[in-house]
Amino acid sequence: MSGQISFFESVGNYVEKAAAYTDIPKGLLQQIKACNLVLRIRFPIRVNGDYQVIEAYRAQHSHHRLPTKGGIRYAESVDQDEVMALAALMTYKCALVDVPFGGAKGGIKINPANYTVEQLQNITRRYTTELVKKNFIGPGIDVPAPDYGTGPREMAWILDTYQAFRHGEIDSIGCVTGKPVTQNGIRGRAEATGRGVFYGLRECMSHEADMKKIGLSKGIAGKTMVVQGLGNVGSNAALISQHEGDVKVIGVAEREGSIYSEKGIDVEKLLAFRAETGSIIGFPGTKSLPNNLDALELDCDILVPAALENQITLSNADRIKAKVIAEAANGPVTADADPILLKKGIIILPDFYINAGGVTVSYFEWLKNLSHHRFGRLENRFQHNAFEGILNKVQEMTGKTIGDRERDFLTRGGTEVELVNSGLEDTMITAYQQIRDTVLQHPKIEDVRTAAFVCSLKKIASDYISMGIFP
Ligand code: GLU
């Protein structure tokens, strides 16, 4: 929450602002903004011989496309407003990247660190049972995925619980995504959100005219980055930016504090150091800063808040020095901090664009599950033989021999992870181009967030209109 406005209201306010650049009828806009369904659950579990009431939710924001889709988070911040806001963001996110789903989000109000693995399994299975009982889960109904505090392990428990109730349902494996690869998951899903953050940033920074306006040269290579949160999203965004984009990570913020190094931080080594010591503080070659939010205020080109919402607020917005903010988390910049950052000329790549990589690859996983085979299985050998034939002909016609390594490279079909990454890369580039075209068409739009909402709104409105509900 920021000030008096709830998180859900603040998403609605952004939508209203963007709607002014569309001709969507008022009533339709009200329907698009509304959160259609919220399931509020309370159930008991036994902890150390006593009972504890667990508070949980699942919100389905929009059913203009089915199934609805979105993660399940385990965090103490979870409440009804938060899941409704995050479900709404899922609707706009899916529309923006052409993932044909409505938006949803679930949450259990717990700190997973306070529970044993067995207790977490009980909680997850009980929550899933409630979803099944209320018809809030299923491959064509509502498909959960990981979010803050959950991962492939929880998704495997959800699948197993669902299948216990729906034994024999042929598409049951598509009832949840982000599953372990060995449990009908897909390669590339674990790092997809972080990888998408990198592709989105790289695309944004490839436009010379846009970069010139903020005093940067074109291209992501050599730019400095600060990351908040070394969870799944933050660590992969930082690692991939460093390895594939030649980005220099100069600052990291985590629960236990912030660290800084002008020379750059090797993220891979930092992750190993944290796994061993339990902290980023004391990582060789870095200075530690007094508070855990201090790194956000470092002088850098790119800031990646990848933890929770409400990190850049009225209290620190005017001290942010980054030129580009990539909202890898959902809602890290509060609605009242947003205009302060924009006035400073900062480009904000909004959450529902920049972190859309996760749901994009979830969509690929769901497609794989429904088709019951691995991507490439049918066509790889055929393509290989066809390319071999072409190369043989080229050799014959030119009289030159193509080396074995080159031949292997030119004739092999893509592996699953290569196909997934190429689909993800294309998705992030295409969506950014649509956003940028919208800015060019509407000179009054000053920020990426508004332009991105315009793109999503137009697609959702046209879905409703083509359904015939709003003739
Ligand atoms: N929890 C992720 C998000 O907020 C992924 C959702 C999904 O894969 O369905 O986008």
Side-chain angles (χ1 to χ4, degrees):
M1 263 202 233
S2 63
Q4 295 303 307
I5 322 172
S6 74
F7 189 7
F8 181 69
E9 273 171 322
S10 83
V11 175
N13 288 348
Y14 284 132
V15 173
E16 288 281 353
K17 184 178 166 193
Y21 299 95
T22 71
D23 53 7
I24 298 171
K26 215 171 156 218
L28 175 51
L29 186 65
Q30 293 315 313
Q31 171 56 45
I32 293 173
K33 276 171 56 186
C35 185
N36 289 359
L37 262 179
V38 184
L39 180 64
R40 179 181 173 279
I41 313 164
R42 299 289 183 273
F43 58 83
I45 60 150
R46 298 267 327 222
V47 180
N48 304 331
D50 199 1
Y51 289 96
Q52 215 178 75
V53 181
I54 301 291
E55 179 181 333
Y57 302 88
R58 181 73 180 173
Q60 294 174 355
H61 173 260
S62 179
H63 299 97
H64 71 292
R65 296 238 173 179
L66 285 171
T68 52
K69 188 87 188 76
I72 293 177
R73 62 170 53 183
Y74 291 179
E76 273 166 342
S77 63
V78 166
D79 62 20
Q80 187 166 330
D81 175 65
E82 189 187 76
V83 287
M84 282 166 59
L86 295 169
L89 285 173
M90 288 308 301
T91 295
Y92 303 111
K93 188 182 302 186
C94 290
L96 186 63
V97 292
D98 293 324
V99 166
F101 298 147
K105 188 73 98 187
I108 304 185
K109 194 181 183 65
I110 53 166
N111 176 356
N114 295 341
Y115 296 88
T116 63
V117 173
E118 201 185 337
Q119 288 164 347
L120 286 173
Q121 182 169 175
N122 284 341
I123 293 170
T124 308
R125 287 183 181 278
R126 179 61 194 262
Y127 174 74
T128 311
T129 305
E130 297 300 325
L131 296 182
V132 172
K133 280 186 345 200
K134 299 293 171 202
N135 214 16
F136 259 70
I137 183 170
I141 298 170
D142 187 355
V143 181
D147 198 89
Y148 188 88
T150 59
R153 178 184 69 178
E154 284 73 17
M155 302 308 116
W157 292 333
I158 291 175
L159 173 65
D160 188 56
T161 310
Y162 180 84
Q163 286 183 320
F165 287 98
R166 298 276 192 266
H167 178 68
E169 187 183 290
I170 185 125
D171 288 330
S172 60
I173 50 172
C175 76
V176 60
T177 60
K179 302 178 290 289
V181 174
T182 50
Q183 296 283 322
N184 302 291
I186 196 166
R187 289 166 187 82
R189 174 62 184 86
E191 61 274 26
T193 312
R195 177 168 286 283
V197 170
F198 167 64
Y199 288 146
L201 270 167
R202 191 190 61 188
E203 184 55 26
C204 162
M205 301 184 88
S206 71
H207 296 278
E208 193 161 10
D210 302 352
M211 289 301 102
K212 215 170 156 192
K213 281 190 202 151
I214 55 169
L216 289 182
S217 59
K218 170 187 161 174
I220 199 167
K223 300 293 188 296
T224 57
M225 178 184 273
V226 170
V227 182
Q228 182 200 27
L230 286 180
N232 175 272
V233 180
S235 61
N236 280 304
L239 275 175
I240 296 168
S241 298
Q242 199 162 62
H243 289 157
E244 296 179 31
D246 211 9
V247 165
K248 193 160 127 186
V249 177
I250 59 161
V252 175
E254 249 300 344
R255 230 172 267 143
E256 61 272 17
S258 300
I259 55 167
Y260 166 70
S261 165
E262 226 169 83
K263 287 193 190 131
I265 298 165
D266 185 322
V267 180
E268 205 171 318
K269 289 194 178 137
L270 175 65
L271 290 171
F273 179 84
R274 189 169 189 245
E276 205 181 299
T277 66
S279 172
I280 56 171
I281 306 297
F283 181 62
T286 62
K287 289 185 207 119
S288 61
L289 302 166
N291 298 306
N292 65 344
L293 289 181
D294 285 351
L296 300 180
E297 297 168 25
L298 287 169
D299 200 347
C300 62
D301 299 322
I302 307 162
L303 174 60
V304 183
L308 274 175
E309 55 261 28
N310 298 346
Q311 301 301 305
I312 302 173
T313 63
L314 270 186
S315 61
N316 59 357
D318 59 347
R319 294 194 301 275
I320 301 292
K321 297 179 198 71
K323 307 263 175 37
V324 179
I325 297 178
E327 294 186 330
N330 289 307
V333 173
T334 58
D336 41 16
D338 191 79
I340 299 173
L341 301 170
L342 294 179
K343 208 174 265 171
K344 286 162 75 103
I346 298 173
I347 295 178
I348 304 174
L349 297 174
D351 41 17
F352 70 104
Y353 164 63
I354 203 69
N355 70 30
V359 77
T360 300
V361 177
S362 273
Y363 172 46
F364 301 156
E365 179 176 332
W366 182 78
L367 289 175
K368 174 185 176 184
N369 292 158
L370 297 197
S371 68
H372 298 270
H373 74 85
R374 175 173 46 77
F375 290 123
R377 180 167 178 188
L378 289 184
E379 65 273 26
N380 272 5
R381 185 58 44 188
F382 178 81
Q383 268 176 5
H384 172 84
N385 293 341
F387 287 138
E388 279 280 349
I390 295 169
L391 291 188
N392 289 343
K393 208 78 204 152
V394 169
Q395 247 178 210
E396 206 181 294
M397 287 162 75
T398 60
K400 290 188 177 144
T401 312
I402 297 164
D404 284 349
R405 273 187 61 194
E406 233 174 330
R407 180 176 280 271
D408 278 352
F409 179 74
L410 292 170
T411 57
R412 76 191 178 91
T415 61
E416 183 173 77
V417 72
E418 285 170 330
L419 294 172
V420 161
N421 290 348
S422 87
L424 173 60
E425 184 174 7
D426 189 58
T427 301
M428 295 305 290
I429 293 174
T430 306
Y432 192 77
Q433 282 168 354
Q434 286 173 8
I435 298 170
R436 197 164 179 273
D437 286 348
T438 304
V439 175
L440 297 176
Q441 276 160 22
H442 298 277
K444 282 196 178 150
I445 297 184
E446 285 164 343
D447 60 311
V448 182
R449 192 187 314 274
T450 304
F453 271 119
V454 169
C455 294
S456 301
L457 275 175
K458 284 185 174 167
K459 294 184 198 181
I460 299 166
S462 107
D463 277 350
Y464 268 110
I465 291 165
S466 62
M467 271 192 246
I469 297 174
F470 290 90

